[in-house]
Amino acid sequence: MNVRQRTMGFSSRLFAEQALSRSAGAPLIGGNAVELLIDARAHFDAWLAAIAGARRHVFLENYIIRDDAVGKAFLDALVERAKAGVFVAVIADWAGCLGQSRSAFWQPLRDAGGQVRIYNPPRLGSSFGWVSRDHRKVLVVDGETGFLSGVCISEKWLGDPSRDVPPWRDTGVMLRGPAVAEIEHAFADSWRETGDALPDDERIRPLATMADAGNVSLRLIATQPSTAGMYRLDQMVAAMARKTLWLTDAYFVGVAPYVQALSAAARDGVDVRLLVPGTSDIPMVASMSRSGYRPLLKAGIRVFEWNGSMLHAKTAVADGRWARVGSSNLNIASWLSNREIDVAIEDAGFARQLEERYETDLENATEILLRGRRRRSGNERMRSRSPRPPRPHRAGGSSSRAAAGALRIANTVGAAITQHRVLGDTETGPLLAGAATALVLTTIAILWPAVIAWPLALIGAWFTVNLAVSWWTLRRKRRESAEDVDRTAPPA
């Protein structure tokens, strides 16, 4: 390689690094150690061990913290540390915890000196404010160890052995090094969104120096509503991938620009794969996801459905050198509405770990094929280290299968034998469901108009009250501002 080629290669790397940094709004941070965590049991054990060893502070931010055996184990651990003088701060999401845990659940921690805040409950003066959610799953201990993941604090993630329901499939990381400070900054920002800023307490002051813990470089992307940093990064990676782009997502609802980016990559020869749940805890999202398979498959993207109880991981790995793990799903809610946190890791060793995990996951997945494409050419076949086992018996979550209708039932036997399922006209499912829903609403409106009128009246009342409160608040602020100006004005 001559000097000119080396110079061009160096310039290309700098350009790529600059493009990724600008798209994500996050610089590349070196000197980190990263450990891959697979499924909830590994997460819970590591999280509880870290909390038990806390000496200065514990920051916990999670979308769902449930009042069950797992949630109580975390509550007990936090209470014990708070009583020992550790600064404990917890952020839970209002919608995520609705029906999962109540205010009384947190009282023992508050009594022990810990602080708990609930993110974005409905409030007057904000008609649509409740739409934004804190979907992050973060734990930081003493400014030295940080975790981020897709795992919530709930027994659901462990499955139900008594009913032969396997654990949910999920992925996260444990971090040490300079990047942990960025996770703490993200937590502090969420804390300010729920009230006053973190206090000036010596227990939570940043460490004077953060020594390197490893040689992994990464970006910490902590997105906020309407910032779209993760969306820009996902688009950029789809555009820059040269050989492979393997995606895992729990609630994939492809928007047109992103689907076009993936399709362009696939048509350009990139091996693009998408692994999604076969059964979902949110059947409606699963139906929406399936309705978008056809354009992906036509572009050459390979789509697989997980055969376990629930696939909740959110990961990506590209070209054997770039990987993403975190809380962001590939849909509008995560990209534009929620508070999310992900880590984009630029390390060949970690990317290889995630690739190996992906290949293992595909052994428990069924590939979706377009009708009439029962076989692929040799260079299109899935390259896996070992043959895939027969499709296991499904152990729950079967309600989400209804969206595929009778076609899925007819293909079950063939899928069990070939590990392939032929995609029929699944796009007609949402259309039929929409037509049926419209017919039911129309019938109700004709026969029992009050059933439609009362909900509409309540919605109208909600907007009326919120707009009035917003007007009054703005008027009061303007009046106070005018009074402040009058007080500071010099006498005539």
Side-chain angles (χ1 to χ4, degrees):
M1 183 181 293
N2 58 35
V3 174
R4 181 181 178 185
Q5 289 174 323
R6 287 197 298 269
T7 301
M8 290 178 64
F10 180 71
S11 299
S12 296
R13 287 194 298 273
L14 285 179
F15 179 78
E17 180 177 335
Q18 185 181 67
L20 291 172
S21 295
R22 289 182 178 178
S23 61
L28 192 65
I29 305 170
N32 302 283
V34 183
E35 180 179 341
L36 185 64
L37 298 176
I38 300 298
D39 294 345
R41 177 51 63 193
H43 282 79
F44 295 157
D45 290 347
W47 290 355
L48 288 170
I51 293 171
R55 304 180 307 278
R56 299 172 61 237
H57 64 262
V58 175
F59 296 156
L60 174 63
E61 182 177 4
N62 207 294
Y63 179 63
I64 298 174
I65 303 177
R66 192 178 184 188
D67 185 0
D68 58 16
V70 170
K72 289 174 181 175
F74 275 86
L75 178 65
D76 292 344
L78 295 170
V79 168
E80 189 277 328
R81 286 292 81 198
K83 289 181 177 178
V86 173
F87 184 95
V88 177
V90 177
I91 303 174
D93 185 79
W94 178 83
C97 292
L98 185 64
Q100 308 292 325
S101 56
R102 299 181 178 181
S103 180
F105 173 77
W106 296 109
Q107 196 56 47
L109 180 56
R110 293 189 173 103
D111 293 341
Q115 299 187 40
V116 181
R117 290 185 178 177
I118 305 301
Y119 179 81
N120 202 19
R123 58 188 182 275
L124 294 177
S126 180
S127 300
F128 290 105
W130 57 271
V131 174
S132 172
R133 307 297 356 140
D134 187 347
H135 196 245
R136 298 176 181 178
K137 292 90 177 178
V138 165
L139 172 66
V140 185
V141 175
D142 292 339
E144 299 173 351
T145 305
F147 301 85
L148 57 89
S149 175
V151 176
C152 294
I153 298 176
S154 167
E155 280 184 321
K156 288 172 62 177
W157 266 252
L158 297 176
D160 188 351
S162 65
R163 298 171 53 201
D164 196 28
V165 177
W168 286 19
R169 174 69 188 85
D170 219 327
T171 303
V173 293
M174 177 172 67
L175 302 174
R176 292 189 177 91
V180 177
E182 295 301 312
I183 303 178
E184 292 207 318
H185 291 159
F187 179 88
D189 182 70
S190 293
W191 192 260
R192 283 192 298 271
E193 284 294 307
T194 59
D196 295 335
L198 287 168
D200 183 13
D201 190 310
E202 62 179 9
R203 295 173 294 175
I204 60 176
R205 287 173 186 161
L207 298 174
T209 57
M210 176 61 75
D212 288 354
N215 57 4
V216 176
S217 297
L218 56 86
R219 290 179 172 83
L220 197 288
I221 306 108
T223 56
Q224 304 168 12
S226 304
T227 57
M230 197 66 247
Y231 174 72
R232 292 195 301 272
L233 184 64
D234 284 333
Q235 286 274 38
M236 185 65 65
V237 170
M240 296 176 66
R242 301 175 61 187
K243 297 179 179 179
T244 60
L245 177 57
W246 297 352
L247 307 167
T248 303
D249 200 67
Y251 307 107
F252 175 79
V253 181
V255 296
Y258 187 62
V259 170
Q260 291 167 5
L262 295 179
S263 299
R267 292 190 178 104
D268 204 27
V270 179
D271 177 10
V272 182
R273 305 179 187 180
L274 174 64
L275 175 61
V276 294
T279 60
S280 177
D281 62 326
I282 308 179
M284 182 179 68
V285 176
S287 299
M288 294 173 66
S289 181
R290 290 191 182 104
S291 70
Y293 285 174
R294 185 170 297 278
L296 300 175
L297 295 171
K298 285 185 175 180
I301 297 167
R302 304 186 68 182
V303 179
F304 301 83
E305 287 189 348
W306 174 252
N307 291 333
S309 58
M310 175 60 188
L311 176 76
H312 198 259
K314 307 96 166 50
T315 69
V317 58
D319 292 343
R321 58 174 298 139
W322 183 93
R324 172 176 67 81
V325 178
S327 67
S328 294
N329 291 296
L330 300 175
N331 59 41
I332 286 293
S334 282
W335 281 327
L336 295 178
S337 179
N338 296 341
R339 300 181 76 84
E340 306 277 4
I341 190 163
D342 298 78
V343 61
I345 300 169
E346 298 185 16
D347 179 79
F350 183 85
R352 187 58 198 152
Q353 287 185 61
L354 208 57
E355 282 185 335
E356 292 173 351
R357 184 68 232 186
Y358 198 93
E359 290 182 315
T360 300
D361 288 341
L362 291 188
E363 294 175 4
N364 189 41
T366 298
E367 183 169 10
I368 311 301
L369 300 179
L370 284 172
R371 185 181 298 278
R373 293 196 64 187
R374 301 270 181 175
R375 294 181 177 272
R376 291 178 176 271
S377 61
N379 62 348
E380 289 180 314
R381 294 180 187 274
M382 181 181 66
R383 296 177 178 86
S384 179
R385 296 178 179 270
S386 59
R388 287 176 288 182
R391 188 177 184 179
H393 173 70
R394 298 189 180 277
S398 60
S399 59
S400 65
R401 316 299 290 182
L407 176 65
R408 178 176 292 273
I409 299 174
N411 286 330
T412 298
V413 176
I417 297 173
T418 66
Q419 286 295 307
H420 290 162
R421 183 171 66 79
V422 178
L423 181 71
D425 296 328
T426 57
E427 292 171 342
T428 62
L431 294 176
L432 180 61
T437 301
L439 177 61
V440 170
L441 291 176
T442 302
T443 303
I444 292 174
I446 293 172
L447 300 178
W448 304 285
V451 175
I452 301 294
W454 276 110
L456 291 176
L458 291 175
I459 293 172
W462 168 258
F463 280 105
T464 300
V465 172
N466 276 280
L467 292 173
V469 170
S470 298
W471 170 81
W472 177 257
T473 302
L474 180 60
R475 183 172 180 271
R476 185 182 61 186
K477 287 181 178 179
R478 287 181 175 176
R479 180 180 296 175
E480 291 174 351
S481 178
E483 291 175 352
D484 290 340
V485 170
D486 291 340
R487 293 194 199 97
T488 57

